[in-house]
Amino acid sequence: MGSKNKLKRFRENETFQNVIQPLRDEVLSGNFSLKGEWATFFGNTNPIVIELGCGKGEYTIGLASLYPDKNFIGIDIKGARLWRGAKTALENKQSNVAFLRSQISLIDQLFASGEVSEIWITFPDPQIKYKRTKHRLTNRDFLKKYREILKENGTVHLKTDSEFMHGYTLGLLQGLGLEILYANHDVYKNEGSPMEVLGIQTFYENQYLEKGKPITYLKFRITSV
């Protein structure tokens, strides 16, 4: 994408009512006004579901269409990417969708304790090298942050084409004694996966499927870390 197109999308994001772009210093200082106030933003007390690393927002949009009685927030640091999701949500008049431009590592500063009902992690970078372990979105430090913002029985969903990420996360969850609600290492080959796993496919997921890569899925609860 050319720099002119990126700049145009950045400017449009500033005008979109469903895009929130807090300054990093604002978040770190504890002055992010929507922390604990997301129900006010949406104008209702429906459950809040977030997607981490939402990219162009395809999954956020798809989930919001399936579940109009829930509020969905796609989170990504790449503003030019989430522009697409935000624009689509506005065109579709989806009032239960928002996009938050921020680093995922700040997640516990963006939401209050118990404010989130579900977390979706879709096709994250598996960060295979050992020295990149701290950047894996299902490592123990991230699980602690998720535990903080999730409601008591809140759930986490991991959908990925990376067998490494699937196995790493499954092993970590088992080692910590956490509750694994569902695990499938090839959702389109093995029956039983829920509708939201099979019924929503992103652009990149379709590319993975064309290459014959299995798509994996985990659903779990974080009772303690």
Side-chain angles (χ1 to χ4, degrees):
M1 182 189 299
S3 59
K4 288 185 177 180
N5 281 337
K6 279 190 176 181
L7 291 174
K8 180 182 178 182
R9 291 184 175 187
F10 290 154
R11 288 193 296 270
E12 285 193 11
N13 279 343
E14 293 176 358
T15 69
F16 290 166
Q17 60 187 16
N18 62 351
V19 174
I20 301 96
Q21 303 183 93
L23 298 175
R24 179 179 172 83
D25 288 345
E26 174 189 357
V27 176
L28 289 174
S29 66
N31 292 322
F32 180 50
S33 62
L34 286 176
K35 181 179 179 180
E37 299 294 335
W38 284 101
T40 302
F41 175 84
F42 285 106
N44 60 60
T45 56
N46 292 343
I48 292 175
V49 182
I50 63 176
E51 182 193 0
L52 306 181
C54 67
K56 295 180 180 179
E58 295 157 292
Y59 229 90
T60 299
I61 294 292
L63 289 169
S65 297
L66 287 174
Y67 301 103
D69 57 342
K70 296 181 181 181
N71 298 317
F72 293 86
I73 304 171
I75 304 173
D76 206 296
I77 194 60
K78 300 292 182 66
R81 289 182 183 175
L82 61 77
W83 166 89
R84 179 64 270 170
K87 190 173 181 65
T88 298
L90 290 173
E91 291 171 346
N92 293 346
K93 294 181 171 54
Q94 290 176 289
S95 59
N96 65 328
V97 177
F99 289 91
L100 177 58
R101 186 184 181 193
S102 183
Q103 293 173 305
I104 296 171
S105 59
L106 302 177
I107 194 75
D108 54 338
Q109 301 299 317
L110 298 167
F111 299 90
S113 177
E115 193 170 20
V116 174
S117 293
E118 296 176 59
I119 296 174
W120 279 82
I121 307 170
T122 53
F123 302 98
D125 186 332
Q127 308 287 358
I128 293 176
K129 293 183 178 180
Y130 178 75
K131 64 180 181 180
R132 301 290 295 176
T133 301
K134 66 180 181 180
H135 297 289
R136 291 178 199 153
L137 292 185
T138 57
N139 70 31
R140 190 167 184 173
D141 288 338
F142 273 111
L143 292 182
K144 289 179 180 178
K145 292 177 184 285
Y146 304 157
R147 165 67 175 161
E148 173 63 25
I149 66 173
L150 279 168
K151 293 185 180 299
E152 184 175 350
N153 289 311
T155 54
V156 181
H157 309 258
L158 172 67
K159 186 179 180 182
T160 176
D161 66 302
S162 170
E163 294 180 78
F164 167 82
M165 186 69 166
H166 181 81
Y168 164 81
T169 305
L170 192 58
L172 181 60
L173 297 175
Q174 291 172 334
L176 293 172
L178 299 183
E179 184 180 5
I180 299 169
L181 301 172
Y182 185 82
N184 193 328
H185 64 86
D186 193 339
V187 299
Y188 296 107
K189 183 177 180 181
N190 304 320
E191 297 181 356
S193 293
M195 173 181 59
E196 61 264 32
V197 173
L198 301 176
I200 304 173
Q201 293 182 358
T202 68
F203 172 79
Y204 290 110
E205 181 176 354
N206 283 316
Q207 287 190 328
Y208 301 145
L209 290 171
E210 288 177 3
K211 294 177 182 178
K213 299 184 73 174
I215 305 299
T216 70
Y217 172 67
L218 279 174
K219 180 180 180 180
F220 57 93
R221 286 197 181 101
I222 310 173
T223 50
S224 62
V225 182

